[in-house]
């Protein structure tokens, strides 16, 4: 082992860090994730093998993100330079969509290998039916420059501030609305409104739009300008179905997060609820509830979840992080009972309404509360082993991942199958490792291109309980090697192991009282009781 290897690796790391500060290569970001592999000190061949030869390989692998894997796959495919010059928020739009799917498949397999996951479970990346312009949710940060100019950007604080109006991963109707809003806000009469805006958010479906103005200050002049803008929107933008104000005095980097107000949403006009149709079911949900951004893939998404879980009339499906009830109602259509849980009160109310409207004759109920280990143990009904029902769990947590000890609490109930959904590929290895420690192993996987054009994928992993193998009692046998294999030989009582092995191998016993050497032959008296030289007996 080369003991100087760690020091040499560190020197290479420092030299590359110094080069990266002066290199014209840019770091690209989408949803606060780096796209390209700019990790200092990494050897591409080492990552291809799924390991690092440096002393702190474990630390380096923990810093190895899926975005890095995409960058490495692009390097191997010879398209890295194209990504370097692409839109920083959707760099994979620089190549064809077919090549993007191949690139992501290679990246997933390599990333799973580094994370010690069974990459053989990933056979394809399920494509987006609409391709890239599929996002039902988009946003623009409103930035006021030093000279008072209004700019729309897609970057967060301290990140890329390139002005962006239209994006290739969003429907054309989004770009048209942003262009119209920008022409309004740059005018002098709407300057008070522009100065108090954090974000402009567009949500909805592919037919209608909900416009949300994220404001950090809401005074009387701002409210008047919002009402004036609403009148123009209703008159000139027929695709906008409703409009809301969202008050965030803390100016969070997340466009629908508010810590300073209890009721941040205020309707300006239109219906209270948004809607989306999945598998012929129309789901209603409030503007602050979570919904997958790619509506075109949701039919396949929900259908695959149902195929993996295989619910029947004797099963109970627990939909953790249920939101407005999409999976519990759509994917659990064949389950005997469905119980959902989520912390968002308005979303739970919407889930109850959706269940009553879409599946009025089914046993579905929802629990409002944060998904924690204590909630799993206290709020979920105890398992009744006598009724013969099987438990199925579906988890669709936020990007930050699942709360501590929730996996252990669910594993204690010994469900038959668990379907864990990840919107961040970086969380897969950690959570699967936790499931393994609690007796569950991955048996199937589905990877969806939920975010075309960006280095992100959505992952479904089906886990089942490991079969418990009973331990065999230890037999009182000695083990001898014969012909390159182990065989068990019963030892005679009162006989040492060495003497027993000699007897079994046919080595003759000696009855004389002379001292014997290691060769088994009597030592010569002339040698003083020592073993004679080889060849002299």
């Amino acid at each position: 082992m080369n003991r100087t290897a760690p020091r040499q690796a560190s020197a290479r790391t420092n030299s590359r860090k110094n080069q990266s500060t002066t290199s014209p290569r840019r770091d690209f970001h989408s949803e606060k994730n780096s796209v390209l592999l700019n990790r200092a000190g990494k050897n591409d061949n080492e990552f291809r093998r799924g390991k690092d030869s440096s002393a702190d390989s474990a630390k380096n692998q923990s810093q190895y993100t899926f975005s890095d894997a995409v960058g490495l796959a692009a390097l191997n495919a010879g398209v890295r330079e194209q990504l370097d010059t692409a839109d920083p928020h959707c760099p994979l739009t620089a190549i064809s969509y077919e090549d993007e799917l191949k690139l992501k498949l290679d990246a997933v397999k390599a990333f799973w290998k580094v994370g010690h996951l069974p990459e053989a479970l990933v056979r394809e990346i399920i494509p987006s039916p609409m391709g890239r312009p599929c996002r039902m949710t988009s946003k623009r940060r409103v930035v006021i420059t030093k000279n008072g100019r209004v700019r729309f950007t897609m970057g967060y604080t301290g990140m890329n501030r390139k002005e962006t109006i239209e994006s290739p991963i969003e429907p054309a109707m989004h770009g048209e609305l942003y262009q119209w809003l920008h022409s309004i806000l740059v005018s002098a009469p709407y300057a008070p409104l522009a100065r108090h805006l954090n974000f402009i958010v567009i949500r909805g479906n592919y037919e209608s739009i909900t416009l949300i103005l994220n404001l950090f200050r809401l005074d009387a002049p701002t409210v008047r300008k919002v009402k004036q803008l609403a009148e123009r929107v209703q008159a000139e933008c027929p695709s906008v179905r409703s409009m809301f104000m969202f008050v965030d005095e803390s100016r969070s980097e997340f466009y629908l997060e508010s810590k300073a107000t209890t009721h941040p949403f205020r309707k300006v006009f239109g219906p209270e609820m948004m809607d989306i149709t999945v598998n012929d079911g129309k789901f209603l949900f409030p503007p602050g509830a979570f919904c997958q951004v790619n509506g075109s893939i949701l039919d396949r998404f929900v259908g695959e979840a149902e195929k993996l879980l295989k619910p029947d009339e004797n099963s109970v499906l627990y939909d953790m992080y249920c939101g407005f009830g999409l999976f519990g109602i759509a994917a659990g259509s064949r389950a005997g009972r469905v119980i959902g849980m989520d912390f968002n009160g308005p979303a739970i109310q919407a889930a109850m309404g959706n269940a009553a409207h879409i599946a009025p004759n089914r046993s579905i109920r929802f629990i409002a509360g944060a998904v924690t280990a204590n909630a799993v143990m206290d709020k979920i009904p105890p398992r009744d082993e006598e009724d013969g029902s099987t438990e199925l769990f579906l988890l669709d947590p936020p990007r930050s991942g699942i709360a501590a000890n929730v996996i252990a609490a669910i594993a204690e109930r010994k469900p038959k199958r668990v379907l864990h959904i990840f919107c961040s590929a970086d969380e897969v290895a950690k959570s699967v490792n936790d499931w393994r420690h609690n007796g569950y192993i991955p048996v199937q996987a589905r990877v969806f291109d939920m975010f075309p054009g960006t280095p992100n994928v959505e992952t479904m992993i089906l886990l089942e309980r490991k079969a418990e193998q009973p331990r065999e009692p230890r037999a009182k046998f000695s083990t001898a090697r014969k012909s390159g294999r182990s065989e068990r030989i019963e030892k005679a009582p009162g006989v040492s192991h060495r003497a027993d092995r000699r007897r079994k191998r046919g080595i003759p016993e000696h009855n004389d009282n002379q001292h014997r050497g290691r060769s088994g032959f009597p030592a010569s008296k002339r040698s003083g009781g020592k073993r004679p030289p080889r060849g002299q007996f």
Side-chain angles (χ1 to χ4, degrees), residues 373-384:
N374 292 334
V376 172
M377 294 184 291
D378 299 338
K379 293 187 176 183
I380 295 181
R383 181 179 181 182
D384 188 0

Side-chain angles (χ1 to χ4, degrees), residues 66-87:
F66 181 68
S67 296
D68 297 332
V70 173
L72 180 56
L75 187 66
N76 295 335
V79 297
R80 178 65 172 271
E81 294 183 359
Q82 299 179 40
L83 304 189
D84 287 350
T85 58
D87 189 326

Side-chain angles (χ1 to χ4, degrees), residues 247-380:
V247 182
D248 178 18
E249 298 173 354
S250 63
R251 307 195 71 173
S252 170
E253 293 185 1
F254 301 96
Y255 55 92
L256 288 180
E257 178 183 84
S258 178
K259 300 178 181 179
T261 56
T262 307
H263 303 287
F265 276 99
R266 302 185 184 186
K267 188 182 74 170
V268 181
F269 70 84
E272 296 278 354
M273 294 287 185
M274 301 162 56
D275 66 85
I276 185 173
T277 301
V278 180
N279 290 341
D280 299 327
K282 187 176 182 179
F283 292 82
L284 303 179
F285 57 97
F290 169 77
C291 181
Q292 277 79 10
V293 297
N294 188 346
S296 67
I297 205 172
L298 286 186
D299 287 348
R300 176 78 181 273
F301 195 60
V302 173
E304 291 294 333
E306 186 175 13
K307 289 179 183 178
L308 293 174
L309 283 172
K310 299 178 182 178
D312 55 36
E313 58 182 7
N314 295 322
S315 61
V316 182
L317 174 61
Y318 294 96
D319 184 8
M320 302 288 99
Y321 310 93
C322 63
F324 56 87
L326 175 62
F327 283 105
I329 298 173
S333 59
R334 299 179 183 179
R337 287 182 293 159
V338 175
I339 299 177
M341 176 183 288
D342 204 338
F343 72 95
N344 191 341
I348 289 291
Q349 297 298 323
M352 295 177 182
N354 290 328
H357 172 70
I358 299 174
N361 300 322
R362 290 170 51 197
S363 175
I364 303 176
R365 71 186 187 94
F366 296 95
I367 303 172
V371 180
T372 62
N374 292 334
V376 172
M377 294 184 291
D378 299 338
K379 293 187 176 183
I380 295 181

Side-chain angles (χ1 to χ4, degrees), residues 94-108:
I95 58 179
S96 67
Y97 187 53
E98 182 180 355
D99 291 340
E100 177 185 345
L101 294 176
K102 294 178 181 179
L103 198 69
K104 287 184 175 180
L105 181 60
D106 294 340
V108 169

Side-chain angles (χ1 to χ4, degrees), residues 156-189:
Y156 291 86
T157 302
M159 298 174 64
N160 187 281
R161 292 293 188 90
K162 178 183 177 181
E163 185 167 16
T164 304
I165 302 296
E166 298 179 349
S167 174
I169 60 176
E170 299 168 358
M173 59 192 306
H174 287 212
E176 294 172 359
L177 182 57
Y178 285 128
Q179 185 69 50
W180 183 84
L181 289 171
H182 186 268
S183 65
I184 298 295
L185 294 176
V186 296
S187 62

Side-chain angles (χ1 to χ4, degrees), residues 456-520:
N456 300 306
V457 291
E458 189 105 356
T459 309
M460 282 184 181
I461 295 185
L462 181 69
L463 303 114
E464 293 182 356
R465 189 169 181 81
K466 291 187 292 187
E468 297 181 359
Q469 299 180 354
R471 295 183 179 180
E472 298 181 359
R474 297 183 64 182
K476 296 181 179 180
F477 292 96
S478 64
T479 302
R481 293 194 175 273
K482 184 177 182 180
S483 302
R485 63 180 182 179
S486 294
E487 73 174 10
R488 289 180 175 179
I489 304 176
E490 186 176 0
K491 185 174 71 67
V495 181
S496 67
H497 287 277
R498 177 177 293 181
D500 186 70
R501 287 196 298 270
R502 292 170 60 87
R503 177 176 62 84
K504 294 295 182 180
R505 295 175 182 177
I507 299 177
E509 296 288 341
H510 297 276
N511 298 323
D512 55 9
N513 296 326
Q514 295 180 352
H515 176 72
R516 300 180 184 277
R518 296 185 63 183
S519 64

Side-chain angles (χ1 to χ4, degrees), residues 222-248:
T222 303
V223 172
R224 286 195 295 269
K225 291 302 177 182
V226 170
K227 291 182 178 180
Q228 293 176 12
L229 178 63
E231 293 176 357
R232 295 194 60 176
V233 168
Q234 289 178 290
E236 303 179 34
C237 304
S239 61
V240 179
R241 184 185 178 193
S242 58
M243 181 174 172
F244 291 83
M245 292 185 294
F246 180 82
V247 182
D248 178 18

